[in-house]
């Protein structure tokens, strides 16, 4: 293909980062930004030490602790000695290899996929990796961002490059508009339901269309965040004025911002550029979504009923659905709105940004958490927490009976003490409803922040479109 | 990295699709800073009862599967998180190869980086393997990465595709970082051209 041939956003970024290509080999791809956290990095740093290698570009590497940190009072010591050791190990590694760490006492500490954009580390046209599958979040800025394993973390630390096969491209175009009460979370859950959990395997997704163009930066992050739940390592959205406005003035935004914008404006897919595959959807078809099963593709509209596995054909998906219903304690035909809940979790790299907390607080305002429901809000970062407190959102939540916590991944993956007990049913704004994800035997239903807030108040799933604000 | 050339071993089956990495290795066990010792935690939520005893209903706990080194399973194996603890746990438990109709991308890649061979076979061939395991107690498979074949002693034979570079790295147990650093001058030139 000549240089003048129309290219997609993905192709432009990929081509600009090829260090070396030779037939029969994986491409050596340059990495602009490497984000590191405590859980998937210790073995990588240890590998460097054993081989006598250094971090090639420490200044392109940024670390935080998020997965395994307590969200309670930070002035107290970490109780779990193994968790403490993992966090201490990250501290020592960052010191030894000269990597900037946003430690627990740093006002800018937070979930890696929330602080990257907040700090302006995430920029259009970049290649960004992290040892975490939700690195796809950063694609919201028109970056090529994907999760990697620990061996690859070590590879990037040592070489600032990765060996990669070029993925195929899949355009997901969503035309029209979303209805009132329908959020970015509902949009991405709906798309995963249409694609299934493996539909995006081998592809880099690009979200396009009128619905996507209208999304705020934070909404775009929610969408790209869950690309991996459809099997796609990366998902991206072309940068535009929304992107540039978000980045302007951020701590690590380019110094010559206008020059950067001039470059970023060249990144969107050219007219006539082709994708390996395109699927189109209509925003008007999307209702608020609730997952019923044990993967994010097992999802229906809040007004629907729990599906009958027999209606899903005779193959693996019917068997998986039957198993999921058993695990979830559900019967086919139950109306989703009749399902009572025990817990509510508002947080995670999917939905713990300030707009998410505002949307939830708006629903909660003037109400109380229902009966025995235990509800918590875990802001995505120190900055989000501070902003929410400045706006009085924390008081809205605590007055209603929610717990208000420190920043971290918390009950999205329940590595820290925040977890479900056996059999508890949870309305969660996170990204995975896998068996045991939020605690062994726990039953997770993925929803938007507004839907989680409404469920907290009523004690069962509730169509947010009927809410009296 | 441990090389993989040929392997003959006992086969265990896991009849579930979309097995995610949270199931393969639960988050409680991601707090460790070591790379080894995860085998006892493999599939822990399924393998053990609340009191720590073995769940005898779980397939891998069947007596005839003890000592298995080849896992035959369903589509989209290894979906979800990027945690490399998943292949570490499978490896430490004793699995050298996993056969399924499809794998999640990050997991598939992580296997190669740990000297394990994930093999994609068409769904009907995987169905056939499930049937053969059920029929022949102590069922074993021969896996040959040089010729890209999977065979048994009863006439089963399948060929599989694998990227030639990945195959070479696995056959020779090559250190990928070392290979990339052979191109250090190109990386430096790239950085200098871009003012990085």
């Amino acid at each position: 293909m000549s240089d003048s041939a129309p290219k997609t956003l993905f192709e432009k970024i990929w081509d600009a980062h090829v260090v070396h290509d030779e037939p029969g080999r994986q491409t050596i791809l340059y990495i602009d930004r490497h984000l590191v956290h405590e859980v998937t990095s210790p073995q990588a740093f240890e590998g460097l030490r054993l081989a006598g290698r250094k971090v090639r570009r420490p200044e392109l590497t940024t670390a935080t602790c998020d997965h395994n940190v307590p969200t309670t009072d930070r002035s107290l010591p970490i109780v779990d000695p193994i968790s403490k050791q993992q966090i201490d190990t990250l501290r020592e590694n960052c010191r030894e290899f000269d990597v900037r760490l946003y430690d627990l006492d740093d006002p800018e500490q937070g979930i890696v996929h929330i602080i990257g954009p907040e700090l302006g580390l995430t920029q259009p046209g970049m290649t960004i990796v992290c040892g975490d599958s939700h690195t796809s979040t950063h694609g919201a800025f028109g970056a090529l961002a994907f999760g990697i394993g620990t061996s690859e973390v070590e590879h990037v630390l040592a070489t600032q490059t990765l060996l990669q096969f070029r993925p195929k491209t899949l355009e997901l175009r969503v035309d029209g508009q979303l209805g009132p009460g329908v959020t970015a979370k509902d949009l991405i859950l709906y798309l995963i339901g249409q694609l299934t959990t493996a539909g995006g395997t081998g592809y880099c997704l690009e979200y396009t269309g009128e619905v996507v163009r209208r999304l705020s930066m934070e909404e775009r992050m929610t969408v790209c965040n869950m690309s991996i739940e459809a099997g796609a390592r990366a998902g991206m959205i072309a940068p535009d004025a929304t992107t540039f406005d978000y980045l302007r003035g951020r701590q690590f935004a380019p110094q010559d911002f206008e020059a950067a914008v001039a470059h970023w404006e060249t990144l969107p897919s050219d007219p006539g550029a082709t994708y390996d595959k395109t699927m189109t959807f209509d925003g008007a078809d999307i209702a608020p979504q609730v997952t019923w099963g044990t993967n994010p593709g097992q999802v229906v509209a809040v007004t629907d009923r729990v599906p009958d596995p027999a209606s899903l054909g005779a193959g693996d998906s019917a068997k998986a659905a039957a198993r999921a219903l058993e695990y979830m304690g559900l019967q086919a035909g139950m109306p989703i709105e009749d399902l009572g809940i025990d817990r509510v979790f508002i947080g995670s790299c999917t939905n713990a940004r300030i707009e998410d907390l505002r949307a939830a607080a708006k629903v909660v305002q003037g109400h109380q958490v229902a009966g025995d429901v235990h509800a918590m809000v875990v802001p995505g970062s120190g900055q989000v927490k501070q902003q929410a407190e400045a706006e009085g959102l924390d008081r809205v939540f605590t007055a209603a009976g929610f717990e208000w916590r420190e920043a971290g991944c918390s009950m999205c993956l329940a590595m820290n003490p925040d977890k479900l007990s056996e059999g508890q049913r949870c309305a969660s704004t996170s990204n995975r409803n896998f068996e045991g994800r939020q605690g062994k035997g726990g039953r997770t239903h993925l929803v938007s922040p507004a839907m989680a807030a409404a469920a907290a108040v009523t004690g069962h799933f509730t169509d947010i479109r009927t809410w009296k604000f | 990295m441990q090389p993989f050339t040929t392997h003959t071993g006992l086969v265990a089956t896991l009849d579930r699709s979309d097995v995610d990495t949270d199931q393969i290795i639960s988050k409680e066990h991601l707090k460790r800073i070591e790379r080894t010792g995860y085998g006892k935690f493999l599939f822990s939520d399924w393998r053990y009862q609340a009191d720590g005893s073995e769940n005898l209903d779980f397939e891998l706990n069947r007596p005839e599967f003890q000592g298995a080194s080849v896992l035959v399973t369903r589509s989209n194996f290894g979906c979800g998180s990027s945690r490399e603890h998943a292949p570490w746990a499978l490896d430490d438990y004793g699995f050298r190869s996993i056969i399924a109709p499809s794998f999640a991308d990050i997991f598939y890649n992580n296997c190669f980086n740990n000297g394990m061979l994930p093999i994609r076979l068409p769904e009907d061939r995987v169905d056939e393997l499930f049937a053969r395991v059920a029929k022949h107690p102590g069922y074993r498979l021969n896996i040959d990465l040089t010729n890209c074949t999977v065979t048994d002693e009863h006439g089963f034979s399948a060929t599989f595709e694998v990227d030639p570079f990945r195959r070479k790295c696995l056959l020779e147990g090559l250190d990928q970082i070392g290979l990339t650093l052979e191109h250090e001058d190109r990386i430096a030139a790239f950085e200098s051209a871009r003012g990085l």
Side-chain angles (χ1 to χ4, degrees):
Chain A
M1 191 185 287
S2 77
D3 273 356
S4 59
K7 284 182 179 182
T8 63
L9 167 62
F10 164 79
E11 288 167 333
K12 292 180 191 183
I13 300 176
W14 178 276
D15 291 351
H17 288 83
V18 173
V19 173
H20 183 56
D21 237 344
E22 68 182 72
R25 294 281 293 262
Q26 284 165 296
T27 300
I28 301 179
L29 199 68
Y30 199 78
I31 301 302
D32 294 317
R33 198 69 85 197
H34 187 193
L35 306 172
V36 171
H37 66 84
E38 75 277 22
V39 175
T40 58
S41 69
Q43 298 85 355
F45 283 112
E46 181 64 13
L48 290 186
R49 254 191 301 272
L50 290 172
R53 290 173 176 141
K54 288 184 160 32
V55 175
R56 182 180 175 84
R57 300 299 300 268
E59 75 283 14
L60 304 182
T61 312
T62 305
T64 188
C65 346
D66 55 2
H67 280 63
N68 191 11
V69 303
T71 55
T72 45
D73 189 349
R74 289 273 160 84
S75 62
L76 301 173
I78 297 171
V79 181
D80 178 350
I82 309 177
S83 294
K84 181 173 183 308
Q85 184 194 31
Q86 193 170 58
I87 291 160
D88 286 343
T89 301
L90 180 66
R91 288 173 180 147
E92 285 157 24
N93 286 332
C94 287
R95 223 178 355 253
E96 180 181 341
F97 291 96
D98 203 21
V99 171
R100 169 74 161 99
L101 168 67
Y102 290 86
D103 206 341
L104 284 183
D105 57 0
D106 195 306
E108 286 163 336
Q109 175 269 344
I111 305 176
V112 64
H113 308 309
I114 293 196
I115 70 168
E118 256 177 14
L119 294 167
L121 290 167
T122 304
Q123 295 166 20
M126 282 184 164
T127 48
I128 302 175
V129 297
C130 173
D132 186 282
S133 60
H134 293 112
T135 307
S136 56
T137 310
H138 307 267
F141 290 80
L144 175 59
F146 51 90
I148 56 179
T150 297
S151 297
E152 293 174 307
V153 169
E154 186 180 335
H155 192 283
V156 179
L157 289 172
T159 70
Q160 203 58 34
T161 68
L162 257 186
L163 296 173
Q164 285 292 298
F165 290 106
R166 190 185 181 106
K168 293 177 285 181
T169 53
L170 169 55
E171 179 189 26
L172 298 177
R173 196 176 79 227
V174 191
D175 298 319
Q177 288 188 47
L178 296 176
V182 180
T183 68
K185 182 64 165 289
D186 303 304
L187 165 62
I188 187 61
L189 283 172
Y190 175 85
L191 292 176
I192 297 165
Q194 298 292 309
L195 254 73
T196 76
T197 53
T201 303
Y203 288 100
C204 173
L205 308 181
E206 185 180 340
Y207 302 94
T208 67
E210 185 60 21
V211 163
V212 176
R213 292 264 65 86
R214 287 167 184 261
L215 295 177
S216 73
M217 210 52 239
E218 296 195 358
E219 291 171 325
R220 293 178 187 187
M221 287 188 246
T222 298
V223 171
C224 289
N225 172 272
M226 290 189 73
S227 303
I228 184 66
E229 311 311 334
R233 287 180 81 173
M236 46 175 50
I237 293 174
D240 59 12
T242 303
T243 323
F244 312 146
D245 290 346
Y246 177 96
L247 281 170
R248 192 172 283 113
R250 303 247 165 207
Q251 193 178 336
F252 293 100
Q255 301 218 320
D256 188 349
F257 195 78
E258 295 318 314
V261 168
H263 168 59
W264 295 341
E265 282 174 336
T266 67
L267 292 171
S269 298
D270 298 323
T274 54
Y275 301 85
D276 291 297
K277 189 174 168 186
T278 290
M279 295 168 74
T280 56
F281 305 90
D282 184 345
D285 291 341
I286 305 173
Q289 305 282 304
V290 181
T291 62
W292 52 266
T294 52
N295 72 53
Q298 293 174 323
V299 64
V300 289
V302 60
T303 46
D304 279 345
R305 290 167 183 269
V306 175
D308 183 351
S311 71
L312 300 172
D316 279 355
S317 56
K319 275 202 300 199
R323 201 194 308 276
L325 290 194
E326 190 187 335
Y327 179 84
M328 294 296 287
L330 300 174
Q331 272 98 47
M334 287 172 136
I336 296 288
E337 288 190 87
D338 286 359
L339 301 180
I341 54 152
D342 308 298
R343 301 283 294 269
V344 172
F345 172 64
I346 297 176
S348 86
C349 59
T350 312
N351 278 132
R353 298 182 181 82
I354 190 68
E355 289 176 13
D356 298 316
L357 303 194
R358 285 180 192 143
K362 196 173 155 206
V363 173
V364 168
Q365 177 84 52
H367 294 284
Q368 285 294 311
V369 169
D372 295 332
V373 173
H374 174 220
M376 65 195 287
V377 182
V378 183
S381 70
Q383 284 199 52
V384 170
K385 181 168 188 268
Q386 211 175 19
Q387 176 69 25
E389 288 173 352
E391 295 178 19
L393 304 183
D394 59 320
R395 293 190 296 282
V396 172
F397 287 119
T398 52
F402 279 82
E403 288 185 26
W404 177 250
R405 295 293 190 91
E406 300 291 332
C409 296
S410 179
M411 209 166 70
C412 173
L413 86 166
M415 266 191 86
N416 75 349
D418 309 334
K419 56 183 72 175
L420 298 180
S421 312
E422 186 97 24
Q424 279 192 325
R425 193 176 297 287
C426 179
S428 178
T429 67
S430 55
N431 41 55
R432 288 189 174 134
N433 50 341
F434 296 154
E435 281 185 32
R437 171 81 178 180
Q438 296 191 294
K440 189 174 178 181
R443 295 163 172 165
T444 302
H445 297 266
L446 304 177
V447 290
S448 72
M451 288 278 289
V457 169
T458 62
H460 57 87
F461 292 106
T462 302
D463 186 348
I464 193 66
R465 293 171 298 186
T466 64
W467 199 256
K468 303 275 184 287
F469 285 96
Chain B
M1 189 177 74
Q2 58 178 341
F4 188 112
T5 49
T6 58
H7 177 76
T8 298
L10 183 70
V11 181
T13 52
L14 181 62
D15 190 8
R16 300 182 191 215
S17 58
D18 301 312
V19 172
D20 58 75
T21 54
D22 274 79
Q23 299 311 325
I24 298 172
I25 182 81
S26 180
K27 65 263 175 185
E28 285 89 350
H29 311 300
L30 306 187
K31 298 177 186 178
R32 302 170 69 248
I33 56 171
E34 297 82 9
R35 208 177 176 117
T36 53
Y38 292 91
K40 56 183 176 290
F41 309 126
L42 178 70
F43 297 121
S44 58
D45 281 5
W46 290 339
R47 250 166 92 196
Y48 305 112
Q49 310 272 16
D51 65 2
S53 64
E54 286 201 346
N55 171 13
L56 299 177
D57 292 336
F58 181 56
E59 286 159 285
L60 284 193
N61 286 336
R62 285 189 204 153
E64 67 268 30
F65 287 164
Q66 300 316 300
S69 59
V70 178
L71 182 67
V72 174
T73 186
R74 300 297 185 185
S75 59
N76 198 30
F77 188 81
C79 61
S81 142
S82 64
R83 59 187 72 166
E84 198 160 312
H85 309 68
W88 294 340
L90 287 158
D91 178 45
D92 195 54
Y93 181 88
F95 287 119
R96 296 286 291 124
S97 180
I98 303 159
I99 301 175
S102 59
F103 294 89
D105 281 340
I106 304 177
F107 175 82
Y108 184 76
N109 204 34
N110 285 343
C111 284
F112 284 100
N113 286 336
N114 286 280
M116 293 166 67
L117 177 61
I119 297 174
R120 289 189 279 239
L121 288 183
E123 209 156 319
D124 58 336
R125 302 310 314 268
V126 171
D127 285 343
E128 205 178 326
L129 287 176
F130 267 90
R132 285 172 180 259
V133 170
K135 188 172 166 193
H136 305 288
Y139 183 78
R140 295 164 77 81
L141 279 173
N142 312 305
I143 295 165
D144 179 345
L145 181 58
T146 308
N147 296 304
C148 295
T149 57
V150 179
T151 54
D152 71 6
E153 296 161 1
H154 313 278
F156 179 91
S157 177
T159 56
F160 59 89
E161 286 184 13
V162 59
D163 168 73
F165 180 60
R166 278 180 162 145
R167 178 167 156 272
K168 179 181 159 67
C169 288
L170 214 47
L171 284 171
E172 298 174 21
L174 296 176
D175 166 23
Q176 297 216 327
I177 296 177
L179 287 179
T180 298
L181 287 175
E182 287 173 11
H183 298 280
E184 210 277 330
D185 54 336
R186 294 179 199 267
I187 299 173
F190 181 93
E191 287 173 328
S192 116
R194 297 223 328 191
L196 288 166

